[in-house]
Amino acid sequence: MADNNSVSGGESLHWQMTDRVTIVQLVVLIFLCINFLLTVTFFSKVYFYTTMRYILFAVTLLSDSLILIMSNILLILSYLHFTIQIGLCVIIYILLVLCTFITPVTLTAMTLERYVAICMPLRHGELCSTRITINCIVIIHSLSSLPCVIILSIFFASAPQSLYTQHTICSMGMFVFLQWQNNVKLAVYQFYFLILTITIIFSYGEIMKVAKAASGEDKKSTWKGLRTVVLHGFQLLLCLIQLWCPFIENAVLQINLKLFIDVRYFNYIMFNLAPRCLSPLIYGLRDDKFFDALKCNTSFGFHCVKNNVQISIV
């Protein structure tokens, strides 16, 4: 009887995992299609790829798309119990960690762009030019690569040479051997969390002051910018909570395997997939110019004439 219950429980868990993996495939496919449409729209007009906020938006789209693809591949490999060489896993880890930090750092840069546009409108053209944007992207990628360099340096210093040729199921937790390594990793994540959160709060407070003092059309535009900052803040919060997920999952794993699987699935949906669907909402739907261009691309040209007139007036 005990064996039958064990087999039944194992089969139930297997079918539950199959359903979850299938749902993730559908969600990832939908988001990748949306991101593809938004990327095509971005390159459809010169105004978009010469304006700072849209360029940074495109950076988040590419970063989010890469995270969706890479994390989904790891999910499928883990589900199939497929092992790969640890050297290849290191490469995947580098890409994932880099993109994981690119999104929140870029969101913070986008918030600062809104701060400059609303609080320093006379200097917006100077501080948010195309040249400054390129420099900003270089800084974003440099800052995003630092955690990866620190974590991998610790890993390379402590891992034996024979480890790189071994085959295993690729997991982000495999790069931490000792507790002090885990502490260093957590300290780096918390430092980024603190700095980015302070930047968001500062921008929100300054824009709030301008919003209260503004009037008429300026007030309407300012409050719209304030709502954008709030959405950035919420999206940033979800992205930063994702940085804490490995530590929560490791603690849960010590308690119960089934609970660990449930928590890991919830974290993946809530803090990995969900933040990636907010970018299309913030700039794909709420931004009038971008939404007009998006309708033009998705309506086979039926709305292009009208929207082009609207865009030229603005």
Side-chain angles (χ1 to χ4, degrees):
M1 180 67 72
D3 290 341
N4 290 337
N5 290 336
S6 177
V7 171
S8 177
E11 290 180 351
S12 176
L13 182 61
H14 174 76
W15 284 111
Q16 184 181 24
M17 289 298 299
T18 301
D19 291 340
R20 290 179 175 181
V21 171
T22 303
I23 292 173
V24 169
Q25 302 315 301
L26 293 175
V27 173
V28 168
L29 180 60
I30 291 172
F31 286 153
L32 286 178
C33 290
I34 293 174
N35 286 354
F36 175 75
L37 285 175
L38 294 175
T39 304
V40 170
T41 301
F42 167 77
F43 286 106
S44 67
K45 293 188 178 296
V46 177
Y47 175 77
F48 294 143
Y49 54 81
T50 56
T51 304
M52 185 178 197
R53 66 177 182 270
Y54 296 112
I55 296 174
L56 294 179
F57 169 56
V59 171
T60 63
L61 282 179
L62 295 175
S63 173
D64 290 346
S65 297
L66 187 56
I67 286 180
L68 290 174
I69 293 171
M70 298 300 293
S71 63
N72 191 47
I73 289 174
L74 289 183
L75 175 67
I76 295 173
L77 293 180
S78 177
Y79 172 72
L80 298 175
H81 300 286
F82 188 85
T83 60
I84 62 175
Q85 193 173 16
I86 289 182
L88 178 58
C89 188
V90 169
I91 297 175
I92 295 175
Y93 180 82
I94 292 173
L95 291 174
L96 271 178
V97 173
L98 181 63
C99 292
T100 297
F101 278 91
I102 283 177
T103 296
V105 174
T106 306
L107 286 172
T108 305
M110 294 169 75
T111 299
L112 289 175
E113 187 275 334
R114 289 293 82 199
Y115 161 74
V116 172
I118 294 171
C119 300
M120 307 168 63
L122 297 180
R123 299 196 61 192
H124 183 262
E126 173 190 352
L127 296 176
C128 299
S129 63
T130 304
R131 181 179 63 83
I132 295 295
T133 303
I134 294 173
N135 294 335
C136 183
I137 292 174
V138 173
I139 294 173
I140 287 170
H141 284 74
S142 299
L143 291 175
S144 302
S145 64
L146 282 178
C148 188
V149 171
I150 294 173
I151 295 169
L152 286 179
S153 296
I154 296 174
F155 171 75
F156 292 144
S158 56
Q161 291 294 326
S162 59
L163 182 67
Y164 304 117
T165 58
Q166 296 178 11
H167 286 70
T168 185
I169 296 177
C170 189
S171 169
M172 299 303 99
M174 61 178 289
F175 294 95
V176 176
F177 292 108
L178 305 171
Q179 183 59 40
W180 70 268
Q181 295 175 326
N182 207 36
N183 294 336
V184 171
K185 184 178 179 181
L186 182 59
V188 172
Y189 285 2
Q190 288 181 331
F191 175 76
Y192 271 73
F193 181 91
L194 180 63
I195 297 299
L196 299 182
T197 301
I198 290 174
T199 304
I200 291 285
I201 293 174
F202 167 78
S203 301
Y204 178 85
E206 293 300 310
I207 294 174
M208 177 67 80
K209 293 178 183 178
V210 175
K212 290 182 177 179
S215 60
E217 288 297 321
D218 289 339
K219 192 176 187 68
K220 181 180 178 182
S221 175
T222 301
W223 278 103
K224 185 175 181 180
L226 189 64
R227 288 193 295 270
T228 299
V229 171
V230 171
L231 286 172
H232 282 327
F234 179 67
Q235 188 178 9
L236 180 62
L237 177 63
L238 294 179
C239 289
L240 294 176
I241 290 177
Q242 180 193 353
L243 302 180
W244 290 356
C245 287
F247 306 104
I248 298 173
E249 292 167 4
N250 287 338
V252 173
L253 181 60
Q254 306 302 319
I255 301 173
N256 184 278
L257 177 59
K258 186 177 184 304
L259 180 61
F260 165 77
I261 294 173
D262 292 338
V263 170
R264 193 171 192 180
Y265 180 74
F266 173 81
N267 287 342
Y268 181 73
I269 295 295
M270 191 67 189
F271 305 120
N272 197 313
L273 295 186
R276 272 77 204 174
C277 75
L278 289 179
S279 290
L281 171 65
I282 295 173
Y283 277 103
L285 300 178
R286 292 183 67 252
D287 186 273
D288 294 335
K289 292 182 179 180
F290 202 90
F291 185 59
D292 286 340
L294 181 62
K295 284 196 298 183
C296 176
N297 289 334
T298 57
S299 63
F300 303 101
F302 288 110
H303 295 281
C304 288
V305 175
K306 180 179 178 181
N307 289 336
N308 282 337
V309 172
Q310 289 177 344
I311 292 175
S312 64
I313 293 175
V314 177

